[in-house]
């Protein structure tokens, strides 16, 4: 604990004491000698913890650090070996959080805190190992992180280690992932050298990674980075069937949660390997049934349209209309133009009744959702093209919602004749553009920092 | 671009089954990265040169820094004076007798009327009573007295008691036993509701933006007031922006009020366009009002239900759509003016039986898909088809729930992300994406003390900004600020640790000291539970409004803290704005207060400007504003005095602060600065003296100088402006706010609970003059005392004018011998410190010792006599003893013994006879024995003591320090041995000597019988026997010096055995 104290407060002891003595009226330090009763200890400790908590919630990190310093001292005064695992977890969480917000905390401080608290409450060992590993990864120390992970993985402590099974799984997953990153590094570094030696080192990493990754991927869950990395390796070794198997399992296994990305990965894989359109369409159809608002629905539409089957075009109409019902697609030009194209296509093919059938089912919703007058007013100010295309779609659908369409028509006339209005609009646009640029600049500066 | 789904999600385990983990602690929101993933490294760019992957945590450690502009919340509206202030404490169900008493006293017609009518004929309180009625006039006095608190025993009336026994079962309409059990139940449920009431979920404060302009924004604040919270107020507010200053809220003078038929539980507003709809939920009614920029709010439609409504939510997509759910589980889509459409009904909870009728509905990314939630989870329901339901969230292992976790509120975060939903439980906050059901995109441990039943989301104003989530709780008044980003190209990330905003409860610690009773009133008022909150963000400022159960609205403003450069501009400006308000504040209406500096006088802007830069430089060079300014200021001493005065008598606090502000207005700017600095000091004193209200005050103390000075050297903390300390603006606003409350409280007549007794007559008894003289004396005495104390002398009684003291004569000394009863003797003994000894004697525990001592004495005397006779042999033996200690004793000893045999026996026998003859006496009063022994010793001792022969016997082997210790025991043991040896021949000779040992032992065995049993244990008696044996063994070679040696050892052992005895005794409870 002494190390931690030193870490949190690099100043010398004396100043710490001064800080403690003057402002804080903790009873605990009034009497310097002798052991206090258990209840007294608990009371003061609880009070101290509450102070830490309040300070942290109000983001007074320095103050929290002072309290934390005395808190761990108090814990140490009472035989810290016996500290309840819960208390040790609290100590760990609070300690690392405070350390994150202290300006002069160094990497050694973090290491010391993690190491100390790992062994303090044995129960949390793997959890803290994992967090320590993350901390190291974020600071670019991959080798050390890997070491921490393997320490956490090999940890056994009776029933506790069984209870920590979920954490163990995650640890294994990250182990494999780090092996994969190593594999990537080896692959790129030895790109020019001769085949045999390159294969040897790389292959060992591949073996490490594939075993653990395959294991973790077979468990139900969301494993996007792990799946991607495993597929990448399999593709490198030309095991396409295996990769497909993995992706199919990841997307279609009933025990797994519905994850749009699983379908996306499968679709992308199929696309990469030049799978026939039918396969692509079927994979996207399943995605449509799960997530009708996914951006790949536009791909689905274009795929269906390219088929030129009547049923497919009808399906594309439904898909695109479904898509537009989501508020996230409401103002999307691509989706509207897609719908416009489909309707035009169907009209060309003299299948207007299909369009009208679909339209009548949605008419009331669409009128209030898309073709409200206030919306038109807003669109006129913000996105003229959208208003235009919406009005065109309305015309194609055979609706004579004149009031709405008048906006668009007025707009046309205005854009042709009146330049003042345009100026005003241009000004608006300009301002918006400037705003965006400013934002980008800000982001860049942030990143560079 | 909400339609983009993140390309990679953070790894997450998917587990089926109910949660198993127990809720452990409330600190889970800190210190964890949760998960990390790589960014920038695409999986397929294998051929590109290797770059170290960058990682990104799910819980990022730093977010935007939002700092409060003022140190506490500020009241927005004047207080609602007729508000019912709820009690701070929780109800105790065991208080039901008090409630019953109240009911019987104040609602006696309800309590007793039926039986009263029936008994009317038999009892009468009237003077002229009918013939067969019993007069009850005697009880009227008793009944009148019931109004007062009084002593039950003093007012005991036998008649009343009899009457009570006779009639108590029948006289009340509701049997007391039944009433009490019902009351108890009711109080229990009320207590539970006090702790957490689900019906106000969602909150009753609405802040609807009506119209936006470049420099201001018109909004409507909607809040309920009234005793039963049954009036709804539509209050227009104009939010004014002035460059970098915190926005000001100008409240319209007259709010529009509607009176409702029930208390308002929730206010929800839908999409705002030219006009917008606001739904108000009460238990059995839901009403919709139309709001517009140019129109007055008006009621459009009301729906009624048999089962209480538990939720109403406005649609973010369409302006006139709402969903309502009632507690039976039926959910309706309510299109205003077009009626209701029922789309779902659940008789039970969704995933398991949570025994809760609470239901909730929210819209989702699709206008026809609605989230249907209860305590166990949330489902997405498609209105158009009845099959289309799937899980959005479910209490279980997958989101990492703990057992007992329940959904408290769900919210569609339409403004932040079109597909995101907020699910709050009492422990955690989840962000769910409706495209990935069941797996939370984000999870926080929100660390709130009571469950968050209000939630509010503020979207990031630009893509780079974080989305803000605000969670509010009811009883503890907490508001937590959570930040996150992502959900589009990148997976969701939390940004920075959770921050708690200020609550009304804490504000007293930031204000000046109030008188205790005023403080109590203020505290009670401010502790009222929160019933809703709203937040609005504009550029770099965020304003949060809180509505309390008393109908009071408070607000606080936070500022985004970006860089050092921006803050160096901002903070002094804040100080300046404070001054302006003080200047104008005296003349302007309170409502205009908050915004007064918006239109404030332009004339002094120049001076302000230059002063601004001045203070700014001071501030940021040292980061210790208060210190620097106090050292440079001139009028500190005067201020310090005023501070002291305030602390001494808190009465002047209000007055004082007003005076201060007056002074402000008349003084120049630079002096005002000084005052502010001193006010900062005043805060310190206040804190020390006054506020134990909450833990925060000491925090503030800590954040004072020592810490600041320590922080001074580290870089980032100096960039962060210190917490704003007390400012006079805030104080003035609060003073204004408290005024009507205090006024009302003081106007209230104090109800005295005690019967008054006239004491005027008693006052008349005392003459004025003597009283005055006494006073005179006392003042004089006081003065004298002070003088004397100054000189450090003593004040004698004679100098003072105090009445003469009676000299009490010292009583005659008491001779304990006059009191010869047992108790007196014992007391006398214990007074001398011989209590233990006395008891030993009384019980005969030291009989053996005494007998031995007696014998020794005799022997010594005899020895002395013998030496007188044969002085030569005596001298010889003594010399022998010195030279040869181990052998050659026998002859001399035997000789010596032989010669003494007769006399010894004789003297012994006479002594013992005397002893035995006194046995009865001995039994009766041990003190007599003691006295006897004492006599003996005094009689016997001088002889050997005076004899010169005795010294050779002692001197050679004894150390001087042993003298005191061993002298009695040595003599005792030696005499004893002598006796044993001598007794062997005399067994047959004299009957006197024979039974002596036996009598001794029998005595020892008898005595324990009178004591508790444990002393009879052999352990105790065995060593005694052992000693005697060893003594026998040792004694066979008879030589005095040898004896003395052995006896020494024996004594040591014995003393050790004796030492153990007191323990035994104490254990036996003497």
């Amino acid at each position: 604990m002494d190390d931690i104290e030193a870490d949190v407060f690099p100043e010398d002891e004396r100043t710490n004491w001064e800080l403690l003595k003057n402002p804080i009226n903790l009873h605990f330090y009034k009497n310097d000698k002798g052991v206090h009763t258990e209840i007294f200890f608990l009371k003061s400790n609880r009070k101290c913890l509450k102070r830490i908590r309040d300070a942290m919630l109000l983001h007074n990190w320095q103050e929290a650090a002072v309290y934390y310093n005395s808190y761990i001292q108090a814990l140490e005064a009472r035989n810290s070996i016996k500290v309840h695992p819960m208390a040790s977890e609290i100590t760990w969480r609070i300690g690392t959080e405070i350390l994150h917000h202290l300006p002069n905390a160094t990497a050694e401080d973090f290491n010391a805190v993690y190491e100390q608290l790992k062994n303090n409450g044995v129960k949390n060992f793997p959890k803290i190992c994992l967090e320590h590993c993350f901390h190291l990864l974020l600071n670019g120390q991959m080798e050390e992180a890997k070491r921490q992970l393997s320490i956490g993985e090999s940890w056994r402590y009776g029933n506790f280690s069984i209870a920590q099974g979920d954490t163990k799984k995650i640890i294994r997953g990250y182990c494999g992932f780090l092996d994969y990153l190593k594999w990537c590094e080896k692959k790129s570094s030895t790109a020019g050298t001769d085949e045999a030696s390159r294969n040897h080192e790389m292959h060992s990493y591949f073996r490490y990674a594939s075993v653990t990754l395959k294991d973790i991927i077979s468990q139900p869950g969301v494993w996007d980075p792990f799946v991607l990395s495993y597929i990448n390796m399999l593709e490198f070794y030309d095991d396409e069937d295996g990769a497909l198997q993995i992706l199919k399992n990841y997307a279609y296994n009933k025990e797994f949660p519905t994850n749009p990305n699983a379908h996306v990965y499968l679709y992308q894989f199929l696309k990469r390997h030049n799978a026939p359109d039918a396969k692509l369409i079927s994979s996207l159809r399943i995605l449509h049934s799960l997530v009708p608002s996914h951006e790949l629905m536009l791909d689905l539409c274009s795929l269906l349209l390219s088929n030129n089957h009547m049923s497919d075009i009808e399906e594309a109409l439904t898909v695109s209309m479904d898509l537009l019902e989501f508020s996230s697609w409401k103002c999307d030009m691509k989706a509207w133009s897609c719908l416009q194209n489909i309707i035009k296509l169907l009209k060309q093919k003299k299948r207007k009744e299909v369009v009208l059938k679909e339209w009548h089912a949605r008419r009331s919703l669409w009128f209030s959702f898309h073709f409200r007058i206030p919306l038109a007013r807003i669109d006129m100010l913000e996105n003229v093209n959208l208003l235009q295309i919406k009005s065109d779609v309305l015309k194609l659908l055979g609706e004579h919602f004149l009031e709405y369409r008048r906006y668009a028509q007025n707009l046309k006339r205005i854009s042709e004749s009146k330049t003042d209005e345009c100026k005003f609009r241009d000004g608006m646009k300009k301002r918006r553009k400037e705003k965006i640029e400013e934002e980008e600049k800000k982001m860049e500066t942030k990143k560079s920092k | 671009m909400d339609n983009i789904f993140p390309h990679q999600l953070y790894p997450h385990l998917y587990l089926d089954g109910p949660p198993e983990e127990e809720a452990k602690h409330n600190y889970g929101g800190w210190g964890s990265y949760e998960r990390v993933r790589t960014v920038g490294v695409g999986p397929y760019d294998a051929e590109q040169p290797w770059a170290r992957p960058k990682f990104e945590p799910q819980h990022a450690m730093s977010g935007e820094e939002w700092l409060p502009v003022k140190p506490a919340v500020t009241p927005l509206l004047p207080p609602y004076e007729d508000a019912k202030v709820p009690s701070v404490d929780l109800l105790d169900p065991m208080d039901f007798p008090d409630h019953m008493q109240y009911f019987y006293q104040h609602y006696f017609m309800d309590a007793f009327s039926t039986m009263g009518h029936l008994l009317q004929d038999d009892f009468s309180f009237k003077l002229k009573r009918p013939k067969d009625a019993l007069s009850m006039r005697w009880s009227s006095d008793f009944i009148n007295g019931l109004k007062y608190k009084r002593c039950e025993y003093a007012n005991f009336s036998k008649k009343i008691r009899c009457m009570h026994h006779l009639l108590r079962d029948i006289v009340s309409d509701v049997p007391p036993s039944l009433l009490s059990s019902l009351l108890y139940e009711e109080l229990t449920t009320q207590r539970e509701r006090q702790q957490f009431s689900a019906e106000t979920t969602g909150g009753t404060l609405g802040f609807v933006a009506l119209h936006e302009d470049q420099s201001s924004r018109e909004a409507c604040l909607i809040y309920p007031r009234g005793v039963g919270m049954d009036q709804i107020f539509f209050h227009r507010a104009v939010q004014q922006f002035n460059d970098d200053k915190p926005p000001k809220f100008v409240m319209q003078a007259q709010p529009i009020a509607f009176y409702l038929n029930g208390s308002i539980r929730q206010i929800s507003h839908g999409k705002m366009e030219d006009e917008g709809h606001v739904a108000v939920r009460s238990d059995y009614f839901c009403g919709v009002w139309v709001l517009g920029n140019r129109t007055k709010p008006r009621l459009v439609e009301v729906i009624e239900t048999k089962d209480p409504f538990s939720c109403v939510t406005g649609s973010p997509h369409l302006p006139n759509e709402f969903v309502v759910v009632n507690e039976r589980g039926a959910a309706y889509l309510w299109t205003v003016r077009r009626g209701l459409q029922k789309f779902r009904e659940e008789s039970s909870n969704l995933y398991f039986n949570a025994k809760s009728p609470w239901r909730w509905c929210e819209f989702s990314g699709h206008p026809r898909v609605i989230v249907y939630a209860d305590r166990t989870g949330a489902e997405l329901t498609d209105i158009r088809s009845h099959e289309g339901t799937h899980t959005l969230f479910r209490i279980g292992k997958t989101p990492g729930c703990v057992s007992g976790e329940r959904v408290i509120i769900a919210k569609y975060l339409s403004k932040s992300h079109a597909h995101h939903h907020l699910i709050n439980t009492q422990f955690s906050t989840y962000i769910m994406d409706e495209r990935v059901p069941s797996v939370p995109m984000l999870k926080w441990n929100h660390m709130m003390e009571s469950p968050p039943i209000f939630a509010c989301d503020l979207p990031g104003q630009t893509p780079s900004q974080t989305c803000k989530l605000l969670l509010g709780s009811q009883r503890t008044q907490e508001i937590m600020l959570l930040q996150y980003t992502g959900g589009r190209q990148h997976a969701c990330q939390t940004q920075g640790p959770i921050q708690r905003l200020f609550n009304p409860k804490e504000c007293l610690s930031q204000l000046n000291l109030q008188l205790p009773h005023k403080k109590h009133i203020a505290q009670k008022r401010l502790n009222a539970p929160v019933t809703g909150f709203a937040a609005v963000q504009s550029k770099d400022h965020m304003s949060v409004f809180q509505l309390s159960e008393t109908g009071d609205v408070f607000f606080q403003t936070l500022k985004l803290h970006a860089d050092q450069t921006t803050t160096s501009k901002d903070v002094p400006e804040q100080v300046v704005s404070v001054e302006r308000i003080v200047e104008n504040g005296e003349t302007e209406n309170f409502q205009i207060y908050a915004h007064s500096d918006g239109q404030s006088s332009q004339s002094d802007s120049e001076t302000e400007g230059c002063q601004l830069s001045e203070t700014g430089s001071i501030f940021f060079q040292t980061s210790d504003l208060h210190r620097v300014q106090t050292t440079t200021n001139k009028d500190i001493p005067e201020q310090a005095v005023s501070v002291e005065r305030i602390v001494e008598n808190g009465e002047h606090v209000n007055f004082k602060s007003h005076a201060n502000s007056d002074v402000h207005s008349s003084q120049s700017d630079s002096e005002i600065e000084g005052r502010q600095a001193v006010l900062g000091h005043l805060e310190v004193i206040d804190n020390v003296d006054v506020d134990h209200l909450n833990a925060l005050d000491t925090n503030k103390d800590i954040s004072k100088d020592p810490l600041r000075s320590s922080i001074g050297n580290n870089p980032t903390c100096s960039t962060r402006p210190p917490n704003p300390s007390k400012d006079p603006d805030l104080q003035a606003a609060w003073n204004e706010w408290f005024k009507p409350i205090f006024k009302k409280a003081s106007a209230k007549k104090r109800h005295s609970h005690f019967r008054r007794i006239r004491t005027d007559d008693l006052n008349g008894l005392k003459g004025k003059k003597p009283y005055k003289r006494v006073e005179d004396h006392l003042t004089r005495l006081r003065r004298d005392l002070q003088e004397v104390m100054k000189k450090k002398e003593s004040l004698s009684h004679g100098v003072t004018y105090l009445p003469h003291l009676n000299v009490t004569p010292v009583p005659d000394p008491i001779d304990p011998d006059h009191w010869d009863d047992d108790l007196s003797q014992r007391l006398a003994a214990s007074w001398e410190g011989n209590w233990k000894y006395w008891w030993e004697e009384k019980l005969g525990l030291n009989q053996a010792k005494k007998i031995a001592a007696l014998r020794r004495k005799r022997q010594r005397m005899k020895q002395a006599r013998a030496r007188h006779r044969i002085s030569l042999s005596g001298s010889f033996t003594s010399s022998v003893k010195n030279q040869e200690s181990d052998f050659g004793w026998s002859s001399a000893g035997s000789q010596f013994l032989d010669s003494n045999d007769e006399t010894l026996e004789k003297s012994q026998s006479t002594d013992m006879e005397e002893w035995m003859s006194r046995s009865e006496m001995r039994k009766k009063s041990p003190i007599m024995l003691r006295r006897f022994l004492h006599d003996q010793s005094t009689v016997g001792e001088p002889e050997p003591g005076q004899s010169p022969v005795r010294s050779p016997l002692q001197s050679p082997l004894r150390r001087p320090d042993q003298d005191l210790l061993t002298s009695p025991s040595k003599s005792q043991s030696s005499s004893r041995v002598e006796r044993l040896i001598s007794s062997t021949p005399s067994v047959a000779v004299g009957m006197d000597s024979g039974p002596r040992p036996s009598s001794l032992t029998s005595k020892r065995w008898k005595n324990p019988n009178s004591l508790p049993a444990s002393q009879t244990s052999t352990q105790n008696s065995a060593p005694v026997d052992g000693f005697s044996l060893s003594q026998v063994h040792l004694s066979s070679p008879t030589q005095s010096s040898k004896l003395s040696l052995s006896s020494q050892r024996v004594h040591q052992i014995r003393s050790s055995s004796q030492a153990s005895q007191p323990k035994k005794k104490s254990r036996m409870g003497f």
Side-chain angles (χ1 to χ4, degrees), chain A residues 96-108:
Chain A
T96 42
E97 186 73 40
I98 291 174
L99 214 51
H100 276 297
H101 297 277
L102 287 186
N104 42 7
T106 60
E108 285 82 54

Side-chain angles (χ1 to χ4, degrees), chain B residues 487-504:
Chain B
R488 295 174 182 99
Q489 275 88 355
H490 299 292
C492 286
Q493 271 182 297
T494 70
Q495 298 287 330
I498 292 168
Q499 185 180 0
R500 202 191 67 197
L501 308 188
F502 292 128
N503 47 24

